Amino acid sequence: MDKLTLLLFVLVHWNATHIQVHLTAACTDIFRPLTGLYDYCYWMITTFQNSTDSSKLCAKDGGTLAWVNSAEAQAFVEKTFTGTLTAGSMFYIGVQDPVSEEYYTYTGERQYYFNWDAVYSPITDWHCVMINYDSFKWREVKCLFPKLALCSKTILREYLSSYFDRVLVGKALTGYEASVLENLSFIRCAFACQMNVRCKSINHDVTSRRCTINSETAETYPSNVAIAPTVSYYTVFI
Ligand SMILES: *[C@@H]1O[C@H](CO)[C@@H](O)[C@H](O)[C@H]1NC(C)=O
Ligand SMILES: *[C@@H]1O[C@H](CO)[C@@H](O)[C@H](O)[C@H]1NC(C)=O
């Protein structure tokens, strides 16, 4: 190699490394769910450590143990990590029931989605959840066992978060439906709201994709807010 070629070689590779580090940080892939104000970046930690240390390793790159709170997210994890680990691997995800048998995500949401193994039965003093790589089914586990770990971090969808400012996950406003639209993605539901002068909030059901345009808000009518596990509620930012 002459000096110029060498310089180019170094520059190209330095740039490639630099861009990669800058853009993708630790993301193996980015999950863009059909609903919500966030995308999610996922990556695997392939060393063995207990859940506390796993969670610290995720935090080092700005994440938490992974958010897997929908069938859509579970399918993304299966697709992304199939073929990447050795048979028999097990990894922590961000689901815990620290107090009772009520589960929470590491981002503080109530956990509504589960993918338990058939052999699962809740054990009172086992508070962590791991995925068995061979089947991608979940099991409860003692938090002190050394396992691999799946991390994720949220990426705010700026264009949506400047339109909606308050979100209630797993809840819906009832009694103020101005219009109900079937089978809409979250983005289309958001546009439908923007086009409707009466729209002050929406409910979006991620399973059925039903979009409800509401003429009122949960803040004005808190007693009309109902639990609806597959739905998220969004107030229009005014
Ligand atoms: C995990 O291990 C660390 C030491 O590496 C220890 O401080 C921590 O208490 C352990 N956590 C659990 C849940 O066992
Ligand atoms: C919902 O819409 C998608 C395309 O946006 C379409 O492929 C699908 O068949 C529709 N489902 C129903 C139940 O209408």
Side-chain angles (χ1 to χ4, degrees), residues 41-74:
C41 150
Y42 283 82
W43 69 98
M44 188 72 73
I45 292 180
T46 53
T47 50
F48 292 86
Q49 59 283 303
N50 69 29
S51 78
T52 325
D53 290 344
S54 294
S55 148
K56 280 184 190 156
L57 286 175
C58 293
K60 219 176 68 172
D61 285 313
T64 62
L65 281 172
W67 185 95
V68 191
N69 205 359
S70 67
E72 201 193 351
Q74 171 76 27

PDB file of all heavy atoms in Angstrom, residues 41-74:
ATOM      1  N   CYS A  41     -34.780   0.083  20.965  1.00  0.00           N
ATOM      2  CA  CYS A  41     -33.516  -0.492  20.521  1.00  0.00           C
ATOM      3  C   CYS A  41     -33.204  -1.685  21.437  1.00  0.00           C
ATOM      4  O   CYS A  41     -33.296  -1.562  22.655  1.00  0.00           O
ATOM      5  CB  CYS A  41     -32.469   0.603  20.649  1.00  0.00           C
ATOM      6  SG  CYS A  41     -30.794   0.092  20.981  1.00  0.00           S
ATOM      7  N   TYR A  42     -32.877  -2.842  20.857  1.00  0.00           N
ATOM      8  CA  TYR A  42     -32.596  -4.061  21.639  1.00  0.00           C
ATOM      9  C   TYR A  42     -31.161  -4.532  21.432  1.00  0.00           C
ATOM     10  O   TYR A  42     -30.660  -4.463  20.300  1.00  0.00           O
ATOM     11  CB  TYR A  42     -33.507  -5.216  21.192  1.00  0.00           C
ATOM     12  CG  TYR A  42     -34.915  -5.121  21.705  1.00  0.00           C
ATOM     13  CD1 TYR A  42     -35.848  -4.314  21.069  1.00  0.00           C
ATOM     14  CD2 TYR A  42     -35.321  -5.847  22.822  1.00  0.00           C
ATOM     15  CE1 TYR A  42     -37.145  -4.216  21.534  1.00  0.00           C
ATOM     16  CE2 TYR A  42     -36.625  -5.754  23.294  1.00  0.00           C
ATOM     17  CZ  TYR A  42     -37.522  -4.945  22.646  1.00  0.00           C
ATOM     18  OH  TYR A  42     -38.795  -4.855  23.111  1.00  0.00           O
ATOM     19  N   TRP A  43     -30.555  -5.054  22.490  1.00  0.00           N
ATOM     20  CA  TRP A  43     -29.252  -5.736  22.344  1.00  0.00           C
ATOM     21  C   TRP A  43     -29.103  -6.779  23.448  1.00  0.00           C
ATOM     22  O   TRP A  43     -29.746  -6.688  24.496  1.00  0.00           O
ATOM     23  CB  TRP A  43     -28.099  -4.730  22.363  1.00  0.00           C
ATOM     24  CG  TRP A  43     -27.839  -4.039  23.671  1.00  0.00           C
ATOM     25  CD1 TRP A  43     -26.890  -4.374  24.603  1.00  0.00           C
ATOM     26  CD2 TRP A  43     -28.503  -2.880  24.194  1.00  0.00           C
ATOM     27  NE1 TRP A  43     -26.936  -3.507  25.655  1.00  0.00           N
ATOM     28  CE2 TRP A  43     -27.911  -2.577  25.445  1.00  0.00           C
ATOM     29  CE3 TRP A  43     -29.557  -2.072  23.747  1.00  0.00           C
ATOM     30  CZ2 TRP A  43     -28.340  -1.510  26.236  1.00  0.00           C
ATOM     31  CZ3 TRP A  43     -29.983  -1.015  24.539  1.00  0.00           C
ATOM     32  CH2 TRP A  43     -29.369  -0.741  25.758  1.00  0.00           C
ATOM     33  N   MET A  44     -28.247  -7.777  23.151  1.00  0.00           N
ATOM     34  CA  MET A  44     -28.061  -8.904  24.072  1.00  0.00           C
ATOM     35  C   MET A  44     -26.739  -8.770  24.805  1.00  0.00           C
ATOM     36  O   MET A  44     -25.733  -8.398  24.196  1.00  0.00           O
ATOM     37  CB  MET A  44     -28.071 -10.201  23.258  1.00  0.00           C
ATOM     38  CG  MET A  44     -28.071 -11.473  24.067  1.00  0.00           C
ATOM     39  SD  MET A  44     -29.638 -11.821  24.923  1.00  0.00           S
ATOM     40  CE  MET A  44     -30.684 -12.302  23.540  1.00  0.00           C
ATOM     41  N   ILE A  45     -26.727  -9.093  26.092  1.00  0.00           N
ATOM     42  CA  ILE A  45     -25.468  -9.204  26.847  1.00  0.00           C
ATOM     43  C   ILE A  45     -25.153 -10.683  26.968  1.00  0.00           C
ATOM     44  O   ILE A  45     -25.949 -11.441  27.523  1.00  0.00           O
ATOM     45  CB  ILE A  45     -25.597  -8.506  28.216  1.00  0.00           C
ATOM     46  CG1 ILE A  45     -25.713  -7.011  27.963  1.00  0.00           C
ATOM     47  CG2 ILE A  45     -24.415  -8.849  29.121  1.00  0.00           C
ATOM     48  CD1 ILE A  45     -25.856  -6.173  29.181  1.00  0.00           C
ATOM     49  N   THR A  46     -24.021 -11.092  26.393  1.00  0.00           N
ATOM     50  CA  THR A  46     -23.751 -12.523  26.269  1.00  0.00           C
ATOM     51  C   THR A  46     -22.792 -13.043  27.339  1.00  0.00           C
ATOM     52  O   THR A  46     -22.123 -14.045  27.145  1.00  0.00           O
ATOM     53  CB  THR A  46     -23.212 -12.840  24.855  1.00  0.00           C
ATOM     54  OG1 THR A  46     -22.093 -11.979  24.614  1.00  0.00           O
ATOM     55  CG2 THR A  46     -24.268 -12.593  23.796  1.00  0.00           C
ATOM     56  N   THR A  47     -22.709 -12.323  28.462  1.00  0.00           N
ATOM     57  CA  THR A  47     -21.967 -12.854  29.606  1.00  0.00           C
ATOM     58  C   THR A  47     -22.994 -13.253  30.668  1.00  0.00           C
ATOM     59  O   THR A  47     -24.142 -12.824  30.600  1.00  0.00           O
ATOM     60  CB  THR A  47     -21.015 -11.782  30.179  1.00  0.00           C
ATOM     61  OG1 THR A  47     -21.771 -10.573  30.389  1.00  0.00           O
ATOM     62  CG2 THR A  47     -19.883 -11.485  29.217  1.00  0.00           C
ATOM     63  N   PHE A  48     -22.531 -14.054  31.652  1.00  0.00           N
ATOM     64  CA  PHE A  48     -23.446 -14.539  32.696  1.00  0.00           C
ATOM     65  C   PHE A  48     -23.333 -13.674  33.935  1.00  0.00           C
ATOM     66  O   PHE A  48     -22.240 -13.495  34.458  1.00  0.00           O
ATOM     67  CB  PHE A  48     -23.082 -15.979  33.077  1.00  0.00           C
ATOM     68  CG  PHE A  48     -23.355 -16.956  31.983  1.00  0.00           C
ATOM     69  CD1 PHE A  48     -22.413 -17.203  30.996  1.00  0.00           C
ATOM     70  CD2 PHE A  48     -24.560 -17.645  31.941  1.00  0.00           C
ATOM     71  CE1 PHE A  48     -22.665 -18.109  29.972  1.00  0.00           C
ATOM     72  CE2 PHE A  48     -24.823 -18.553  30.928  1.00  0.00           C
ATOM     73  CZ  PHE A  48     -23.877 -18.787  29.944  1.00  0.00           C
ATOM     74  N   GLN A  49     -24.435 -13.131  34.395  1.00  0.00           N
ATOM     75  CA  GLN A  49     -24.452 -12.392  35.652  1.00  0.00           C
ATOM     76  C   GLN A  49     -25.889 -12.376  36.199  1.00  0.00           C
ATOM     77  O   GLN A  49     -26.831 -12.641  35.463  1.00  0.00           O
ATOM     78  CB  GLN A  49     -23.902 -10.962  35.488  1.00  0.00           C
ATOM     79  CG  GLN A  49     -24.656 -10.087  34.490  1.00  0.00           C
ATOM     80  CD  GLN A  49     -24.324 -10.418  33.053  1.00  0.00           C
ATOM     81  OE1 GLN A  49     -23.180 -10.373  32.647  1.00  0.00           O
ATOM     82  NE2 GLN A  49     -25.331 -10.790  32.267  1.00  0.00           N
ATOM     83  N   ASN A  50     -26.009 -12.083  37.498  1.00  0.00           N
ATOM     84  CA  ASN A  50     -27.344 -12.072  38.108  1.00  0.00           C
ATOM     85  C   ASN A  50     -28.148 -10.871  37.594  1.00  0.00           C
ATOM     86  O   ASN A  50     -27.642 -10.058  36.816  1.00  0.00           O
ATOM     87  CB  ASN A  50     -27.232 -12.117  39.642  1.00  0.00           C
ATOM     88  CG  ASN A  50     -26.656 -10.833  40.245  1.00  0.00           C
ATOM     89  OD1 ASN A  50     -26.813  -9.745  39.693  1.00  0.00           O
ATOM     90  ND2 ASN A  50     -25.995 -10.970  41.378  1.00  0.00           N
ATOM     91  N   SER A  51     -29.393 -10.756  38.011  1.00  0.00           N
ATOM     92  CA  SER A  51     -30.264  -9.734  37.410  1.00  0.00           C
ATOM     93  C   SER A  51     -29.831  -8.309  37.752  1.00  0.00           C
ATOM     94  O   SER A  51     -29.911  -7.423  36.908  1.00  0.00           O
ATOM     95  CB  SER A  51     -31.709  -9.957  37.836  1.00  0.00           C
ATOM     96  OG  SER A  51     -31.894  -9.492  39.135  1.00  0.00           O
ATOM     97  N   THR A  52     -29.320  -8.106  38.985  1.00  0.00           N
ATOM     98  CA  THR A  52     -28.862  -6.760  39.367  1.00  0.00           C
ATOM     99  C   THR A  52     -27.717  -6.310  38.462  1.00  0.00           C
ATOM    100  O   THR A  52     -27.732  -5.198  37.935  1.00  0.00           O
ATOM    101  CB  THR A  52     -28.334  -6.749  40.828  1.00  0.00           C
ATOM    102  OG1 THR A  52     -29.107  -7.643  41.608  1.00  0.00           O
ATOM    103  CG2 THR A  52     -28.371  -5.368  41.418  1.00  0.00           C
ATOM    104  N   ASP A  53     -26.745  -7.200  38.294  1.00  0.00           N
ATOM    105  CA  ASP A  53     -25.589  -6.849  37.469  1.00  0.00           C
ATOM    106  C   ASP A  53     -25.980  -6.748  35.991  1.00  0.00           C
ATOM    107  O   ASP A  53     -25.446  -5.913  35.261  1.00  0.00           O
ATOM    108  CB  ASP A  53     -24.461  -7.870  37.675  1.00  0.00           C
ATOM    109  CG  ASP A  53     -23.839  -7.738  39.072  1.00  0.00           C
ATOM    110  OD1 ASP A  53     -24.071  -6.702  39.728  1.00  0.00           O
ATOM    111  OD2 ASP A  53     -23.153  -8.675  39.507  1.00  0.00           O
ATOM    112  N   SER A  54     -26.936  -7.575  35.551  1.00  0.00           N
ATOM    113  CA  SER A  54     -27.436  -7.492  34.166  1.00  0.00           C
ATOM    114  C   SER A  54     -28.049  -6.120  33.934  1.00  0.00           C
ATOM    115  O   SER A  54     -27.775  -5.458  32.928  1.00  0.00           O
ATOM    116  CB  SER A  54     -28.515  -8.546  33.924  1.00  0.00           C
ATOM    117  OG  SER A  54     -27.976  -9.832  33.994  1.00  0.00           O
ATOM    118  N   SER A  55     -28.866  -5.719  34.877  1.00  0.00           N
ATOM    119  CA  SER A  55     -29.553  -4.439  34.765  1.00  0.00           C
ATOM    120  C   SER A  55     -28.553  -3.275  34.744  1.00  0.00           C
ATOM    121  O   SER A  55     -28.731  -2.306  34.004  1.00  0.00           O
ATOM    122  CB  SER A  55     -30.561  -4.374  35.907  1.00  0.00           C
ATOM    123  OG  SER A  55     -30.739  -3.092  36.342  1.00  0.00           O
ATOM    124  N   LYS A  56     -27.464  -3.411  35.518  1.00  0.00           N
ATOM    125  CA  LYS A  56     -26.409  -2.373  35.513  1.00  0.00           C
ATOM    126  C   LYS A  56     -25.709  -2.306  34.151  1.00  0.00           C
ATOM    127  O   LYS A  56     -25.398  -1.223  33.655  1.00  0.00           O
ATOM    128  CB  LYS A  56     -25.367  -2.665  36.588  1.00  0.00           C
ATOM    129  CG  LYS A  56     -25.820  -2.225  37.966  1.00  0.00           C
ATOM    130  CD  LYS A  56     -24.725  -2.430  38.991  1.00  0.00           C
ATOM    131  CE  LYS A  56     -25.277  -2.212  40.389  1.00  0.00           C
ATOM    132  NZ  LYS A  56     -24.480  -2.928  41.400  1.00  0.00           N
ATOM    133  N   LEU A  57     -25.478  -3.481  33.551  1.00  0.00           N
ATOM    134  CA  LEU A  57     -24.823  -3.507  32.231  1.00  0.00           C
ATOM    135  C   LEU A  57     -25.717  -2.849  31.172  1.00  0.00           C
ATOM    136  O   LEU A  57     -25.243  -2.145  30.299  1.00  0.00           O
ATOM    137  CB  LEU A  57     -24.488  -4.945  31.826  1.00  0.00           C
ATOM    138  CG  LEU A  57     -23.304  -5.576  32.567  1.00  0.00           C
ATOM    139  CD1 LEU A  57     -23.132  -7.025  32.171  1.00  0.00           C
ATOM    140  CD2 LEU A  57     -22.014  -4.799  32.283  1.00  0.00           C
ATOM    141  N   CYS A  58     -27.042  -3.084  31.282  1.00  0.00           N
ATOM    142  CA  CYS A  58     -27.978  -2.427  30.347  1.00  0.00           C
ATOM    143  C   CYS A  58     -27.930  -0.915  30.555  1.00  0.00           C
ATOM    144  O   CYS A  58     -27.889  -0.147  29.588  1.00  0.00           O
ATOM    145  CB  CYS A  58     -29.409  -2.906  30.585  1.00  0.00           C
ATOM    146  SG  CYS A  58     -29.714  -4.636  30.199  1.00  0.00           S
ATOM    147  N   ALA A  59     -27.906  -0.497  31.819  1.00  0.00           N
ATOM    148  CA  ALA A  59     -27.931   0.932  32.147  1.00  0.00           C
ATOM    149  C   ALA A  59     -26.684   1.648  31.639  1.00  0.00           C
ATOM    150  O   ALA A  59     -26.729   2.821  31.283  1.00  0.00           O
ATOM    151  CB  ALA A  59     -28.073   1.113  33.656  1.00  0.00           C
ATOM    152  N   LYS A  60     -25.569   0.923  31.585  1.00  0.00           N
ATOM    153  CA  LYS A  60     -24.316   1.505  31.093  1.00  0.00           C
ATOM    154  C   LYS A  60     -24.470   2.046  29.673  1.00  0.00           C
ATOM    155  O   LYS A  60     -23.834   3.021  29.291  1.00  0.00           O
ATOM    156  CB  LYS A  60     -23.228   0.417  31.111  1.00  0.00           C
ATOM    157  CG  LYS A  60     -21.878   0.916  31.550  1.00  0.00           C
ATOM    158  CD  LYS A  60     -20.890  -0.226  31.647  1.00  0.00           C
ATOM    159  CE  LYS A  60     -20.593  -0.757  30.262  1.00  0.00           C
ATOM    160  NZ  LYS A  60     -19.542  -1.735  30.162  1.00  0.00           N
ATOM    161  N   ASP A  61     -25.352   1.420  28.875  1.00  0.00           N
ATOM    162  CA  ASP A  61     -25.608   1.902  27.509  1.00  0.00           C
ATOM    163  C   ASP A  61     -26.950   2.618  27.407  1.00  0.00           C
ATOM    164  O   ASP A  61     -27.545   2.689  26.341  1.00  0.00           O
ATOM    165  CB  ASP A  61     -25.547   0.737  26.521  1.00  0.00           C
ATOM    166  CG  ASP A  61     -24.115   0.313  26.264  1.00  0.00           C
ATOM    167  OD1 ASP A  61     -23.270   1.193  26.029  1.00  0.00           O
ATOM    168  OD2 ASP A  61     -23.830  -0.899  26.328  1.00  0.00           O
ATOM    169  N   GLY A  62     -27.436   3.096  28.543  1.00  0.00           N
ATOM    170  CA  GLY A  62     -28.655   3.911  28.531  1.00  0.00           C
ATOM    171  C   GLY A  62     -29.947   3.118  28.469  1.00  0.00           C
ATOM    172  O   GLY A  62     -31.000   3.674  28.166  1.00  0.00           O
ATOM    173  N   GLY A  63     -29.895   1.822  28.775  1.00  0.00           N
ATOM    174  CA  GLY A  63     -31.111   1.010  28.689  1.00  0.00           C
ATOM    175  C   GLY A  63     -31.530   0.410  30.013  1.00  0.00           C
ATOM    176  O   GLY A  63     -31.026   0.782  31.076  1.00  0.00           O
ATOM    177  N   THR A  64     -32.467  -0.519  29.919  1.00  0.00           N
ATOM    178  CA  THR A  64     -32.923  -1.301  31.066  1.00  0.00           C
ATOM    179  C   THR A  64     -33.000  -2.740  30.586  1.00  0.00           C
ATOM    180  O   THR A  64     -32.859  -2.994  29.386  1.00  0.00           O
ATOM    181  CB  THR A  64     -34.343  -0.897  31.506  1.00  0.00           C
ATOM    182  OG1 THR A  64     -35.247  -1.161  30.415  1.00  0.00           O
ATOM    183  CG2 THR A  64     -34.429   0.577  31.888  1.00  0.00           C
ATOM    184  N   LEU A  65     -33.258  -3.680  31.506  1.00  0.00           N
ATOM    185  CA  LEU A  65     -33.578  -5.032  31.037  1.00  0.00           C
ATOM    186  C   LEU A  65     -34.796  -4.890  30.121  1.00  0.00           C
ATOM    187  O   LEU A  65     -35.648  -4.025  30.330  1.00  0.00           O
ATOM    188  CB  LEU A  65     -33.852  -5.960  32.222  1.00  0.00           C
ATOM    189  CG  LEU A  65     -32.585  -6.468  32.939  1.00  0.00           C
ATOM    190  CD1 LEU A  65     -32.944  -7.225  34.204  1.00  0.00           C
ATOM    191  CD2 LEU A  65     -31.746  -7.344  32.014  1.00  0.00           C
ATOM    192  N   ALA A  66     -34.895  -5.737  29.108  1.00  0.00           N
ATOM    193  CA  ALA A  66     -35.760  -5.462  27.943  1.00  0.00           C
ATOM    194  C   ALA A  66     -37.256  -5.380  28.205  1.00  0.00           C
ATOM    195  O   ALA A  66     -37.821  -6.164  28.975  1.00  0.00           O
ATOM    196  CB  ALA A  66     -35.497  -6.506  26.872  1.00  0.00           C
ATOM    197  N   TRP A  67     -37.861  -4.441  27.509  1.00  0.00           N
ATOM    198  CA  TRP A  67     -39.314  -4.267  27.465  1.00  0.00           C
ATOM    199  C   TRP A  67     -39.863  -5.294  26.484  1.00  0.00           C
ATOM    200  O   TRP A  67     -39.542  -5.272  25.298  1.00  0.00           O
ATOM    201  CB  TRP A  67     -39.585  -2.843  26.975  1.00  0.00           C
ATOM    202  CG  TRP A  67     -41.012  -2.402  26.973  1.00  0.00           C
ATOM    203  CD1 TRP A  67     -41.648  -1.706  27.975  1.00  0.00           C
ATOM    204  CD2 TRP A  67     -41.984  -2.565  25.923  1.00  0.00           C
ATOM    205  NE1 TRP A  67     -42.951  -1.445  27.608  1.00  0.00           N
ATOM    206  CE2 TRP A  67     -43.187  -1.961  26.359  1.00  0.00           C
ATOM    207  CE3 TRP A  67     -41.968  -3.168  24.665  1.00  0.00           C
ATOM    208  CZ2 TRP A  67     -44.348  -1.940  25.589  1.00  0.00           C
ATOM    209  CZ3 TRP A  67     -43.125  -3.156  23.890  1.00  0.00           C
ATOM    210  CH2 TRP A  67     -44.297  -2.547  24.358  1.00  0.00           C
ATOM    211  N   VAL A  68     -40.697  -6.211  26.984  1.00  0.00           N
ATOM    212  CA  VAL A  68     -41.347  -7.206  26.100  1.00  0.00           C
ATOM    213  C   VAL A  68     -42.806  -7.264  26.545  1.00  0.00           C
ATOM    214  O   VAL A  68     -43.240  -8.208  27.186  1.00  0.00           O
ATOM    215  CB  VAL A  68     -40.690  -8.605  26.193  1.00  0.00           C
ATOM    216  CG1 VAL A  68     -41.212  -9.523  25.076  1.00  0.00           C
ATOM    217  CG2 VAL A  68     -39.165  -8.519  26.092  1.00  0.00           C
ATOM    218  N   ASN A  69     -43.548  -6.203  26.240  1.00  0.00           N
ATOM    219  CA  ASN A  69     -44.893  -6.065  26.812  1.00  0.00           C
ATOM    220  C   ASN A  69     -45.994  -6.189  25.763  1.00  0.00           C
ATOM    221  O   ASN A  69     -47.075  -5.629  25.935  1.00  0.00           O
ATOM    222  CB  ASN A  69     -44.994  -4.735  27.576  1.00  0.00           C
ATOM    223  CG  ASN A  69     -46.063  -4.772  28.659  1.00  0.00           C
ATOM    224  OD1 ASN A  69     -46.754  -5.793  28.823  1.00  0.00           O
ATOM    225  ND2 ASN A  69     -46.220  -3.690  29.388  1.00  0.00           N
ATOM    226  N   SER A  70     -45.724  -6.917  24.670  1.00  0.00           N
ATOM    227  CA  SER A  70     -46.773  -7.176  23.683  1.00  0.00           C
ATOM    228  C   SER A  70     -46.353  -8.373  22.843  1.00  0.00           C
ATOM    229  O   SER A  70     -45.161  -8.693  22.756  1.00  0.00           O
ATOM    230  CB  SER A  70     -46.968  -5.958  22.768  1.00  0.00           C
ATOM    231  OG  SER A  70     -45.824  -5.765  21.960  1.00  0.00           O
ATOM    232  N   ALA A  71     -47.327  -9.023  22.212  1.00  0.00           N
ATOM    233  CA  ALA A  71     -47.035 -10.157  21.325  1.00  0.00           C
ATOM    234  C   ALA A  71     -46.141  -9.679  20.178  1.00  0.00           C
ATOM    235  O   ALA A  71     -45.275 -10.414  19.702  1.00  0.00           O
ATOM    236  CB  ALA A  71     -48.327 -10.750  20.791  1.00  0.00           C
ATOM    237  N   GLU A  72     -46.347  -8.437  19.777  1.00  0.00           N
ATOM    238  CA  GLU A  72     -45.557  -7.845  18.698  1.00  0.00           C
ATOM    239  C   GLU A  72     -44.074  -7.750  19.108  1.00  0.00           C
ATOM    240  O   GLU A  72     -43.183  -8.065  18.327  1.00  0.00           O
ATOM    241  CB  GLU A  72     -46.140  -6.449  18.450  1.00  0.00           C
ATOM    242  CG  GLU A  72     -45.859  -5.833  17.129  1.00  0.00           C
ATOM    243  CD  GLU A  72     -46.218  -4.335  17.119  1.00  0.00           C
ATOM    244  OE1 GLU A  72     -46.838  -3.823  18.088  1.00  0.00           O
ATOM    245  OE2 GLU A  72     -45.855  -3.681  16.144  1.00  0.00           O
ATOM    246  N   ALA A  73     -43.823  -7.313  20.347  1.00  0.00           N
ATOM    247  CA  ALA A  73     -42.453  -7.202  20.850  1.00  0.00           C
ATOM    248  C   ALA A  73     -41.822  -8.583  20.992  1.00  0.00           C
ATOM    249  O   ALA A  73     -40.654  -8.786  20.643  1.00  0.00           O
ATOM    250  CB  ALA A  73     -42.436  -6.461  22.189  1.00  0.00           C
ATOM    251  N   GLN A  74     -42.587  -9.551  21.499  1.00  0.00           N
ATOM    252  CA  GLN A  74     -42.098 -10.916  21.638  1.00  0.00           C
ATOM    253  C   GLN A  74     -41.686 -11.481  20.268  1.00  0.00           C
ATOM    254  O   GLN A  74     -40.611 -12.059  20.124  1.00  0.00           O
ATOM    255  CB  GLN A  74     -43.194 -11.785  22.276  1.00  0.00           C
ATOM    256  CG  GLN A  74     -42.920 -13.288  22.284  1.00  0.00           C
ATOM    257  CD  GLN A  74     -41.913 -13.730  23.333  1.00  0.00           C
ATOM    258  OE1 GLN A  74     -41.745 -13.080  24.374  1.00  0.00           O
ATOM    259  NE2 GLN A  74     -41.225 -14.835  23.075  1.00  0.00           N
TER     260      GLN A  74
END
